[in-house]
Amino acid sequence: DAGVTQSPTHLIKTRGQQVTLRCSPKSGHDTVSWYQQALGQGPQFIFQYYEEEERQRGNFPDRFSGHQFPNYSSELNVNALLLGDSALYLCASLTWGARYGYTFGSGTRLTVV
Amino acid sequence: GNSVTQMEGPVTLSEEAFLTINCTYTATGYPSLFWYVQYPGEGLQLLLKATKADDKGSNKGFEATYRKETTSFHLEKGSVQVSDSAVYFCALIQAGNQFYFGTGTSLTVIP
């Protein structure tokens, strides 16, 4: 049974560009959350998607946007990249309403130069 | 608001030493508490959890007890191994399903 799959694993972008990261949730999960983990820090919540709608959002600017597809997979888009956006982006999936049982992916390492 | 504070590292121990990583939390309700482990270049793996006060989570020799009176969830292991070298994150979650993570504690175990 596949867990959470994220792509790509590594990415290098230039400041000002746009990037799209992808996540396929664990089988049976319908809720996807995204986290940003800067080097040496704990993950910070970006947003959560369920039923193709953003349900919660953390303290991130509008440059960060997302989407969830009918098959529950999700994308994270970041516009106008800044050097400070360099981080590991983690996707986590869950069954909606479950209090715990999150499964995390291995992440996408984004480097902005 | 919600937050997690954990002891700063890095922590270096000899193999078979006793490990304690302190974690305290602030929460407006009754959170569930977690320890996650992250190996180099990888994502987060759930190590253990506790969902209510006085619960003890345990896995692979690691233990942590949910102490509501001291708002703590300290991680302990009686005898660490080289393979335990990783970064450990304390986290909480409550209604709304948003994790709040500590800043992580890096552990290195030397033979």
Side-chain angles (χ1 to χ4, degrees), chain B residues 33-102:
Chain B
L33 302 175
F34 302 78
W35 278 99
Y36 279 87
V37 59
Q38 187 173 41
Y39 298 99
E42 298 186 12
L44 299 175
Q45 296 179 25
L46 177 64
L47 182 59
L48 54 84
K49 70 176 186 289
T51 60
K52 60 183 186 300
D54 300 324
D55 269 2
K56 176 184 283 188
S58 61
N59 185 28
K60 300 180 182 179
F62 290 90
E63 293 183 340
T65 301
Y66 189 146
R67 301 287 188 198
K68 187 169 181 290
E69 63 276 12
T70 55
T71 62
S72 64
F73 193 56
H74 305 320
L75 182 68
E76 296 182 336
K77 186 175 185 183
S79 176
V80 293
Q81 305 299 314
V82 172
S83 58
D84 293 327
S85 298
V87 180
Y88 292 81
F89 292 94
C90 184
L92 71 81
I93 196 170
Q94 52 184 30
N97 292 326
Q98 173 185 345
F99 274 110
Y100 295 85
F101 287 91

Side-chain angles (χ1 to χ4, degrees), chain B residues 6-30:
Chain B
Q6 58 182 107
M7 66 183 279
E8 295 194 10
V11 175
T12 302
L13 296 173
S14 298
E15 205 165 22
E16 299 184 1
F18 184 85
L19 169 70
T20 299
I21 301 178
N22 291 335
C23 171
T24 57
Y25 68 90
T26 301
T28 53
Y30 301 95

Side-chain angles (χ1 to χ4, degrees), chain A residues 35 37 42 56 98-100 102, chain B residues 30 32 38 51 89 96-97 99:
Chain A
Y35 288 80
Q37 185 181 10
Q56 283 190 84
R99 190 172 173 85
Y100 29 81
Y102 268 105
Chain B
Y30 301 95
S32 297
Q38 187 173 41
T51 60
F89 292 94
N97 292 326
F99 274 110

Side-chain angles (χ1 to χ4, degrees), chain A residues 49-81:
Chain A
Y49 275 84
Y50 170 66
E51 289 190 332
E52 304 179 48
E53 291 187 10
E54 184 182 291
R55 299 292 176 160
Q56 283 190 84
R57 189 178 183 91
N59 189 25
F60 279 81
D62 292 344
R63 297 187 298 108
F64 289 77
S65 63
H67 189 77
Q68 186 180 34
F69 299 93
N71 67 353
Y72 309 123
S73 66
S74 177
E75 289 182 347
L76 164 65
N77 301 293
V78 187
N79 294 322
L81 285 166

